[in-house]
Amino acid sequence: DTAVSQTPKYLVTQMGNDKSIKCEQNLGHDTMYWYKQDSKKFLKIMFSYNNKELIINETVPNRFSPKSPDKAHLNLHINSLELGDSAVYFCASSPNPGQGTNEKLFFGSGTQLSVL
Amino acid sequence: AQSVTQPDIHITVSEGASLELRCNYSYGATPYLFWYVQSPGQGLQLLLKYFSGDTLVQGIKGFEAEFKRSQSSFNLRKPSVHWSDAAEYFCAVGRYSGTYKYIFGTGTRLKVLA
């Protein structure tokens, strides 16, 4: 059973299109994240949700809109895609962030987005 | 600026050789410290973490890391590298800045020669 699953794995699209990436975790975690990894492998937090509530929004263009219908799902919708949006997007979840012992991030396998 | 630095972008070692990957952080208080590994086409997997106590922590796959407060470092080590260790390695810190965040270093790509 995959702990954090995201779909699709690959997404190739034209500039200006709107696309969504879905993420689901079956670990029972309250906190979920979206990270963007650029071509140089730099990993940057985009959003974080705790129990369906947005808690981190890291100066991401408002073309990016996360949605959390329940605490097991965190989807990412991107409007009017631009060339610079090409990257690998990772979903992650964690139990008890900042609480110590059981703390860790569980990552999905990533969605490689290519905007042409 | 507060940051996580991995000074080595690429490292190449021979199979069986020892390995040390460097990580430095610049935060006022000791944050929680992590090392993650990313194999090609995969998400990141936790190798080990440090919160408090013994400054030498053991992780999976034979890795260990040592926290040195005086040097603000958390270097990752392995005494004998295997070809399957070739991957991208990320140091990360967890800290509160309004909300709790994980901040990642820029990564070190490890190549292992047979």
Side-chain angles (χ1 to χ4, degrees), chain A residues 9 33 35 37 40-43 55-56 58 90 94 97-105 107-109, chain B residues 32 34 36 38 41-46 49 51 88 90 94 96 99-106 109:
Chain A
K9 189 168 178 62
Y33 309 81
Y35 281 86
Q37 186 175 49
K40 295 185 178 179
K41 298 294 186 180
F42 183 61
L43 200 65
I55 56 172
I56 296 176
E58 284 289 297
F90 286 100
S94 68
Q99 301 302 310
T101 308
N102 296 325
E103 181 180 350
K104 65 185 278 190
L105 283 167
F107 282 85
S109 56
Chain B
Y32 294 157
F34 307 82
Y36 284 84
Q38 183 181 24
Q42 300 297 316
L44 282 71
Q45 179 186 21
L46 180 70
K49 58 189 176 186
F51 297 121
E88 191 90 22
F90 292 91
Y96 283 97
T99 55
Y100 188 78
K101 294 180 184 178
Y102 296 99
I103 310 297
F104 285 82
T106 49
R109 178 163 292 181

Side-chain angles (χ1 to χ4, degrees), chain A residues 48-94:
Chain A
S48 175
Y49 271 71
N50 183 270
N51 204 7
K52 302 193 297 177
E53 181 181 345
L54 179 67
I55 56 172
I56 296 176
N57 182 341
E58 284 289 297
T59 322
V60 178
N62 58 16
R63 297 183 295 105
F64 291 79
S65 53
K67 284 189 170 52
S68 182
D70 55 62
K71 74 173 192 177
H73 295 84
L74 180 60
N75 304 324
L76 183 65
H77 188 74
I78 314 170
N79 290 326
S80 303
L81 278 155
E82 300 178 357
L83 293 176
D85 297 332
S86 296
V88 181
Y89 292 84
F90 286 100
C91 178
S93 71
S94 68

Side-chain angles (χ1 to χ4, degrees), chain A residues 4-49:
Chain A
V4 181
S5 60
Q6 53 183 110
T7 55
K9 189 168 178 62
Y10 300 98
L11 188 51
V12 181
T13 188
Q14 300 285 333
M15 272 196 311
N17 284 350
D18 303 337
K19 291 293 179 185
S20 292
I21 307 172
K22 295 187 175 183
C23 179
E24 175 181 5
Q25 53 97 3
N26 62 6
L27 299 166
H29 296 162
D30 285 343
T31 308
M32 297 184 71
Y33 309 81
W34 278 108
Y35 281 86
K36 178 180 180 180
Q37 186 175 49
D38 62 23
S39 58
K40 295 185 178 179
K41 298 294 186 180
F42 183 61
L43 200 65
K44 184 170 170 54
I45 181 76
M46 299 174 68
F47 300 104
S48 175
Y49 271 71

Side-chain angles (χ1 to χ4, degrees), chain B residues 11 13 17-22 34-39 45-49 55-66 74-90 108 110-112:
Chain B
I11 282 187
V13 299
S18 63
L19 172 70
E20 182 169 30
L21 302 183
R22 295 182 291 165
F34 307 82
W35 274 99
Y36 284 84
V37 60
Q38 183 181 24
S39 298
Q45 179 186 21
L46 180 70
L47 285 175
L48 46 77
K49 58 189 176 186
T55 56
L56 184 64
V57 294
Q58 303 297 320
I60 62 171
K61 305 185 181 186
F63 285 91
E64 66 178 27
E66 185 171 13
F74 188 55
N75 294 349
L76 182 71
R77 301 194 294 247
K78 187 170 185 178
S80 178
V81 170
H82 188 263
W83 64 266
S84 60
D85 293 324
E88 191 90 22
Y89 290 81
F90 292 91
T108 298
L110 174 65
K111 182 177 179 179
V112 180

